[in-house]
Amino acid sequence: MMGIRVIISAALALCLSTFLLNSCEEPAQPLASPEAVKAAAESAQKSTSAKTNKSKKGKKKKWAQYQTDAGVSLEYPGKWQAEATDKGQKFVSPKSGKKDRFQESLEFSVEKLASAQPANAYLKTAEKNLSKLLEEFKVTKRGKLKTGKGKPKVEYLHYTYREGKKKRRGSLHVAVKGTEAYVFTGSATPKSFKKFRSRFDAVAKSLTLPAH
């Protein structure tokens, strides 16, 4: 069952990225040209080749740090497993017991955009595409995270959907700088979402971008 769920999750992330890249109804959509595909692949390669180190910051001493070759970094719970994906990096929570058949996860990717746009514009496009991609998709909340000084502004949306016969809860966080979108896609069960929502928020708030 775990293998099937991972395949479905990977396929979902790939399909969402394809929707975002191929959409051309909005003027500020992510690119769909060969050059854009190449750029996205290079960005993904940088992400997957990044180093993961233990964080030593105060209360987050039990957290780990992920950093790309481009200097983009974030922190995530140290007990979560980091896995490289075609688009970037995925962080998977450990099983809570033998009966736990769904491992909550958060995937991080960097996407090239056709032109600069605010985070809320990106989310509107994503919402439109998710409604086509996911069964019984419904947005439950939209908002902005309070990030620290020097941190990028992060906006998000929460939603529900169905995966096969199972109901799921999802979150999409995004920060935009220039023509790059830094995207976090979280998945959880309806029962566990309240607990993991705060962790998804914390990871997104830890995002640090290079100065240049």
Side-chain angles (χ1 to χ4, degrees), residues 12 16 105-109 159 171-173 183-187:
L12 173 60
L16 171 58
S105 64
L106 184 67
E107 187 160 1
F108 173 70
S109 62
Y159 54 91
S171 68
L172 186 64
H173 294 74
V183 186
F184 299 84
T185 307
S187 60

Side-chain angles (χ1 to χ4, degrees), residues 7-137:
I7 292 173
I8 292 175
S9 177
L12 173 60
L14 180 60
C15 288
L16 171 58
S17 177
T18 301
F19 265 109
L20 290 173
L21 289 172
N22 291 334
S23 177
C24 58
E25 297 178 10
E26 304 280 343
Q29 301 282 330
L31 292 171
S33 65
E35 292 79 7
V37 174
K38 180 179 179 182
E42 291 176 349
S43 178
Q45 183 177 9
K46 288 182 179 180
S47 295
T48 55
S49 64
K51 297 180 180 179
T52 300
N53 301 309
K54 292 296 180 180
S55 173
K56 297 181 180 180
K57 295 183 179 180
K59 295 182 180 180
K60 286 191 175 182
K61 63 182 179 180
K62 292 184 179 180
W63 283 47
Q65 184 182 68
Y66 169 76
Q67 182 171 321
T68 71
D69 291 340
V72 178
S73 66
L74 57 87
E75 296 181 349
Y76 64 96
K79 291 184 179 181
W80 289 21
Q81 181 178 353
E83 303 174 352
T85 68
D86 291 339
K87 295 296 295 180
Q89 198 79 3
K90 187 175 184 178
F91 308 99
V92 184
S93 67
K95 289 185 177 181
S96 59
K98 293 182 179 180
K99 295 183 179 181
D100 187 357
R101 296 184 178 181
F102 184 91
Q103 288 176 263
E104 291 75 11
S105 64
L106 184 67
E107 187 160 1
F108 173 70
S109 62
V110 181
E111 298 181 14
K112 293 290 184 178
L113 306 176
S115 60
Q117 60 176 283
N120 63 348
Y122 179 96
L123 286 177
K124 286 181 180 179
T125 301
E127 181 180 337
K128 180 179 179 181
N129 292 328
L130 283 170
S131 67
K132 299 176 183 178
L133 176 64
L134 302 178
E135 293 186 63
E136 299 180 13
F137 171 80

Side-chain angles (χ1 to χ4, degrees), residues 118-121 123 141-147 152-158 172-174 201 204-205:
N120 63 348
L123 286 177
K141 186 178 181 180
R142 300 177 181 84
K144 300 178 181 179
L145 295 182
K146 292 183 179 180
T147 54
K153 295 180 179 179
V154 178
E155 297 192 30
Y156 67 87
L157 61 83
H158 295 160
L172 186 64
H173 294 74
V174 63
D201 286 350
K205 288 171 68 174

